[in-house]
Amino acid sequence: MSLSEDQTNAIPTAHEGGQSTLRATVPALEARLYDPVPLLDHGFVRVIDYMGDDQAIVQAARVSYGRGTKKVSEDTGLIRYLMRHRHTTPFEMCEIKFHVKLPIFVARQWIRHRMASVNEYSARYSVMDREFYIPAQAQLAAQSTLNRQGRDAVLEGTEAAEVLGLLREDADRCYRDYTWMLNEGTEESPADPTRQGLARELARMNLTLNTYTQWYWKTDLHNLFHFLALRADSHAQYEIRVYAEAMLEMVDAWVPIAAQAFRDYRMGAVNFSAPMMAILRRMLAGEAVAQPDSGLSLREWREMMASLGRTA
């Protein structure tokens, strides 16, 4: 993990410069502000700012009830009700801003979640750092034959060593070519006075996708939960899942009641389709149901049986 010198120096200053405020704060998250959680080989995620807490969710929900309407007595019960019945807007009253350092290929997967404000480090204006993601050997796996977007057995021996060598060699070579094309020297003169050098916005296209980038990523709690439901899932790609898992721990500190409801009703829950529910009722009635007469595709059947802890 590597913060820049300026970023590192700013942390103690930020911790010491706290000011009194009338808005809600969460001590457990305040203690984590600005401190990076190291991820992968050079990445990190840290909380920069936030707004709201569990009480903000409750406050927003109770406003919508209107005067004279019966209120839920416990905040916990209300938040769990909202999560269980998918009332989303109260969760949008909480917002959080992360600073993330991640490989470009992970960023391109992450940005598909079109529900946040993002500002990324610009290689048009600045030179990219010489930092690349090189997986640990345990993460080098063959393509799954059952899942087009999944992994299978871990590579071993000579093949694993050759893959790691190629990743390092290609990243190093492309970065050397990148810096050569830039011809960056000092403000007074380029590295090679006989060449003009290529514009940064063009030279960056030569960088490999395992090059690290950084961004600020701000979103509301409802959309963050959607992101975490997909990316903290065991089926998500490892390189993005480690970020989501670290962020989920931060959410635990920020809004513990909502986070637990999310774990119970989203992360740890199962959704059955109407045909699946019909099959489940038949099974509970004592009927022996097999896939051919279930009306489900083989894939749907396997998913249902896996959810029930049964073999297909």
Side-chain angles (χ1 to χ4, degrees), residues 103-105 128-129 131-134 166-175 178 203-213:
I104 291 175
F105 75 93
M128 297 291 283
D129 292 331
E131 290 184 315
F132 321 107
Y133 169 61
I134 305 298
L166 285 171
L167 289 172
R168 293 191 185 96
E169 179 185 335
D170 289 349
D172 285 337
R173 185 185 68 252
C174 288
Y175 192 84
Y178 166 69
R204 62 180 172 170
M205 65 179 152
N206 200 56
L207 293 169
T208 51
L209 289 178
N210 62 340
T211 304
Y212 273 87
T213 185

Side-chain angles (χ1 to χ4, degrees), residues 89 140 196 299 302:
T89 50
L140 294 178
Q196 287 184 293
R299 185 168 186 174
R302 286 173 174 166

Side-chain angles (χ1 to χ4, degrees), residues 17-297:
Q19 299 179 2
S20 60
T21 177
L22 293 178
R23 69 179 180 86
T25 58
V26 181
L29 190 60
E30 290 284 320
R32 294 173 175 240
L33 282 180
Y34 312 115
D35 293 332
V37 175
L39 297 167
L40 303 180
D41 48 359
H42 299 292
F44 62 76
V45 61
R46 59 178 182 156
V47 178
I48 298 299
D49 199 3
Y50 69 98
M51 180 185 76
D53 57 4
D54 279 321
Q55 187 59 41
I57 301 168
V58 172
Q59 179 189 52
R62 286 180 173 155
V63 165
S64 68
Y65 287 174
R67 186 175 180 179
T69 303
K70 182 179 179 181
K71 295 181 179 180
V72 177
S73 59
E74 286 190 46
D75 293 350
T76 299
L78 175 55
I79 289 175
R80 293 178 68 82
Y81 175 90
L82 295 170
M83 182 68 69
R84 191 163 63 248
H85 292 276
R86 298 184 179 272
H87 292 280
T88 60
T89 50
F91 296 100
E92 294 175 8
M93 299 300 110
C94 296
E95 293 193 345
I96 192 166
K97 180 166 66 175
F98 295 98
H99 176 201
V100 190
K101 184 175 183 180
L102 67 173
I104 291 175
F105 75 93
V106 177
R108 297 304 161 255
Q109 185 181 47
W110 189 316
I111 204 67
R112 286 175 53 80
H113 296 270
R114 298 164 294 173
M115 41 53 162
S117 299
V118 185
N119 198 56
E120 185 176 1
Y121 183 95
S122 175
R124 291 189 69 194
Y125 307 116
S126 303
V127 177
M128 297 291 283
D129 292 331
R130 188 183 176 280
E131 290 184 315
F132 321 107
Y133 169 61
I134 305 298
Q137 185 173 336
Q139 300 305 326
L140 294 178
Q143 176 64 46
S144 170
T145 56
L146 299 176
N147 184 349
R148 292 182 182 179
Q149 53 183 352
R151 304 177 185 180
D152 206 332
V154 175
L155 302 183
E156 297 179 353
T158 302
E159 184 177 11
E162 289 181 354
V163 168
L164 288 171
L166 285 171
L167 289 172
R168 293 191 185 96
E169 179 185 335
D170 289 349
D172 285 337
R173 185 185 68 252
C174 288
Y175 192 84
R176 284 197 306 270
D177 293 343
Y178 166 69
T179 56
W180 183 89
M181 286 186 286
L182 288 174
N183 197 28
E184 294 273 344
T186 64
E187 292 184 4
E188 291 75 26
S189 62
D192 181 352
T194 66
R195 295 191 292 113
Q196 287 184 293
L198 189 66
R200 292 171 184 171
E201 66 179 23
L202 292 171
R204 62 180 172 170
M205 65 179 152
N206 200 56
L207 293 169
T208 51
L209 289 178
N210 62 340
T211 304
Y212 273 87
T213 185
Q214 298 184 42
W215 63 30
Y216 282 104
W217 193 77
K218 181 178 73 70
T219 189
D220 63 65
L221 183 59
H222 163 60
N223 282 300
L224 177 57
F225 277 150
H226 179 70
F227 172 84
L228 295 176
L230 295 173
R231 300 307 183 180
D233 185 86
S234 60
H235 299 94
Q237 182 173 343
Y238 167 78
E239 284 79 11
I240 196 170
R241 189 173 72 245
V242 294
Y243 286 90
E245 290 172 345
M247 294 162 72
L248 182 53
E249 290 185 3
M250 296 171 181
V251 173
D252 286 333
W254 175 31
V255 282
I257 299 174
Q260 187 59 54
F262 168 71
R263 289 179 182 275
D264 291 343
Y265 297 121
R266 295 286 298 279
M267 292 287 288
V270 174
N271 290 322
F272 280 168
S273 65
M276 287 178 176
M277 287 301 300
I279 292 168
L280 183 58
R281 292 188 183 96
R282 289 166 61 187
M283 288 179 169
L284 291 174
E287 181 180 346
V289 184
Q291 186 272 325
D293 64 346
S294 68
L296 300 181
S297 68

